[in-house]
Amino acid sequence: MAIPKIVITGGPCAGKSTGMATLVERLSDYGFRVFVVPEVPTFLFASGLTPGKMKNATQLYLLEKMIVATQIYLEKSIEKTAAEIYPRDKKIILCDRGVMDHRAYFPSEEHWIQLLKEQKYNFVNLRDCYVSVVHLVTAALGAEKFYTLGNNPARTETLAQAVAIDRKTRECWLGHPHFKIIDNSTDFDGKIRRVLSAVCKALDILAPTEIERKFLVASIDFNRMPPYQKIHIEQIYLKSDNPAKELRIRKRGQDGSFLYFFTEKWETDDPRERGEKERIIGLRQFLEMQSQRDPDKTTIKKDRICFLWKDQYFELDIYKSPGLSGLIILEIELTEKSEDVMLPPFITIEKEVTGDKRYYNNNLAKK
């Protein structure tokens, strides 16, 4: 059985990196082994093969031809190897852009058609081999004040250019049976929630939400627990020049397989909501960033039990760090502030601690 592949794509400064990081984490909570096909042009351009150095359409065509071939090779190789190594596991492949994205960067539509003929590619198979395609609209279209070139050194597009690229990329996916466009009609957190919801819908699983409530747990009856996933987490807090902004790196995984994340958090006016921006980093970067560790804070170690109850998504954090042993916090993220919480009967709650800063991980880490 083929591993489902989902494309996360979008225009410049659309939030794609944060969306990818969120999806990796949340889908892992649901029991998936998540494999990521990286954005192919980004690492190929690092070799010196960059469009800016190309002098004519033939050179650009050959570059894009190589990008498409590499994309197809990576997707097939990852799918084949993942299936062989983890034959019984529930798996998903997330593609940071898909084959059809590259069509937008060919010198002309005639060059794209030339590629299809030369390589005998089946256009429909290239487009529809993914179970879903989720396109995040550039901030340049509807959230202009948030459009920036600062968080990506390779980004040079003006507002108008970003809009043009965004629309051209979307057009390349027209006809796909499950093509979702995530616009800027909500705030950024809402945008990422809709990305997550779209992906979860494509996979027929419940989408978790973002507005948070926390409860201090007195006891748990594991004999009555529904099916769950146990995730091991280690969080290291970094020095921050801005006291209002929390910086951390995190090691997260299970069964000896881990991914690494860098997260920024900040408070909002509502104690139930916190701003958050997260991206995936590599092991090397995770190790290097530990040199920026906040010396006044210890590493937070905890096991996270992720489960569903009454169509709501819960996370049960059982702390393992010295000095925190025995502390258990139940968390739930809601779509609406007024939404009722159906607390599980197999968990005894001592009290609600939503908004109580003593139970923020950042404060729990203080020595």
Side-chain angles (χ1 to χ4, degrees):
M1 183 177 178
I3 302 173
K5 294 187 296 183
I6 292 179
V7 172
I8 306 300
T9 183
C13 191
K16 188 162 60 71
S17 297
T18 299
M20 287 288 287
T22 299
L23 287 170
V24 170
E25 180 170 355
R26 297 306 190 187
L27 293 176
S28 298
D29 289 347
Y30 279 114
F32 285 90
R33 282 198 179 272
V34 184
F35 303 93
V36 176
V37 178
E39 188 177 61
V40 172
T42 298
F43 73 79
L44 286 182
F45 292 168
S47 71
L49 291 166
T50 56
K53 297 179 180 179
M54 306 296 167
K55 297 180 180 180
N56 55 56
T58 298
Q59 291 178 331
L60 285 171
Y61 169 72
L62 292 173
L63 173 65
E64 293 300 331
K65 178 181 177 180
M66 180 187 69
I67 289 172
V68 170
T70 304
Q71 178 87 39
I72 293 171
Y73 171 79
L74 281 176
E75 290 182 13
K76 288 183 176 179
S77 297
I78 289 173
E79 181 176 2
K80 181 177 183 294
T81 305
E84 291 173 343
I85 295 176
Y86 304 108
R88 299 181 181 278
D89 291 22
K90 188 164 59 170
K91 298 173 285 292
I92 177 71
I93 295 175
L94 295 179
C95 301
D96 190 344
R97 300 197 180 279
V99 172
M100 299 305 296
D101 285 281
H102 310 309
R103 178 183 179 185
Y105 296 88
F106 271 71
S108 68
E109 183 64 9
E110 288 71 26
H111 284 94
W112 169 255
I113 295 171
Q114 178 184 342
L115 174 76
L116 297 179
K117 291 180 179 177
E118 282 183 1
Q119 302 301 314
K120 296 182 172 57
Y121 290 144
N122 183 303
F123 170 76
V124 174
N125 287 344
L126 289 181
R127 187 193 64 200
D128 296 349
C129 64
Y130 309 96
V131 299
S132 183
V133 178
V134 181
H135 178 101
L136 285 73
V137 174
T138 174
L141 190 60
E144 291 83 355
K145 67 179 181 179
F146 296 106
Y147 184 77
T148 177
L149 304 178
N151 58 1
N152 187 341
R155 185 176 297 143
T156 59
E157 301 88 354
T158 64
L159 280 171
Q161 290 170 334
V163 170
I165 291 171
D166 187 283
R167 287 176 170 160
K168 190 173 182 181
T169 303
R170 274 187 270 172
E171 289 173 359
C172 291
W173 289 103
L174 290 177
H176 190 280
H178 300 290
F179 180 39
K180 307 297 182 185
I181 296 177
I182 309 297
D183 62 15
N184 296 300
S185 58
T186 62
D187 62 15
F188 186 73
D189 286 344
K191 185 177 187 179
I192 299 303
R193 283 200 298 271
R194 286 182 287 140
V195 171
L196 180 58
S197 179
V199 170
C200 288
K201 184 177 180 181
L203 296 173
D204 295 322
I205 58 177
L206 178 69
T209 53
E210 296 282 342
I211 300 168
E212 187 177 77
R213 290 179 66 181
K214 291 187 175 185
F215 302 87
L216 183 63
V217 173
S219 63
I220 311 163
D221 183 355
F222 276 99
N223 292 325
R224 298 169 61 193
M225 280 279 289
Y228 62 85
Q229 289 293 316
K230 182 178 179 181
I231 312 294
H232 181 68
I233 296 173
E234 294 183 16
Q235 292 179 182
I236 299 173
Y237 289 87
L238 308 179
K239 291 177 286 188
S240 176
D241 295 332
N242 182 354
K245 182 172 284 189
E246 169 190 314
L247 304 179
R248 75 181 186 206
I249 51 177
R250 178 162 53 167
K251 173 183 177 182
R252 187 182 192 283
Q254 59 191 131
D255 302 327
S257 180
F258 293 92
L259 288 170
Y260 305 89
F261 300 84
F262 170 70
T263 305
E264 301 173 70
K265 279 196 170 188
W266 58 93
E267 294 185 27
T268 69
D269 294 334
D270 192 319
R272 290 171 292 185
E273 298 182 74
R274 299 187 73 194
E276 180 174 310
K277 185 176 181 180
E278 186 171 68
R279 61 184 171 87
I280 302 169
I281 59 176
L283 173 59
R284 180 177 177 179
Q285 190 174 4
F286 175 78
L287 295 173
E288 290 174 345
M289 292 179 77
Q290 290 186 33
S291 64
Q292 304 168 40
R293 178 195 295 264
D294 187 334
D296 297 323
K297 294 176 183 175
T298 188
T299 300
I300 291 286
K301 296 182 180 181
K302 59 186 178 180
D303 288 335
R304 172 165 289 176
I305 308 297
C306 306
F307 65 93
L308 296 171
W309 179 257
K310 298 295 183 182
D311 295 329
Q312 291 183 315
Y313 179 71
F314 289 90
E315 295 175 336
L316 187 67
D317 284 350
I318 303 174
Y319 288 79
K320 304 293 185 179
S321 305
L324 296 177
S325 181
L327 177 64
I328 304 174
I329 301 291
L330 179 69
E331 299 183 9
I332 182 171
E333 295 177 338
L334 307 170
T335 53
E336 301 292 339
K337 297 175 185 178
S338 58
E339 186 177 347
D340 291 332
V341 176
M342 303 293 290
L343 290 171
F346 45 85
I347 295 178
T348 303
I349 301 299
E350 183 174 326
K351 63 179 179 179
E352 182 168 0
V353 293
T354 302
D356 189 334
K357 294 184 179 180
R358 292 176 299 172
Y359 293 95
Y360 286 4
N361 283 288
N362 190 31
N363 290 325
L364 292 173
K366 290 180 179 178
K367 293 181 178 179

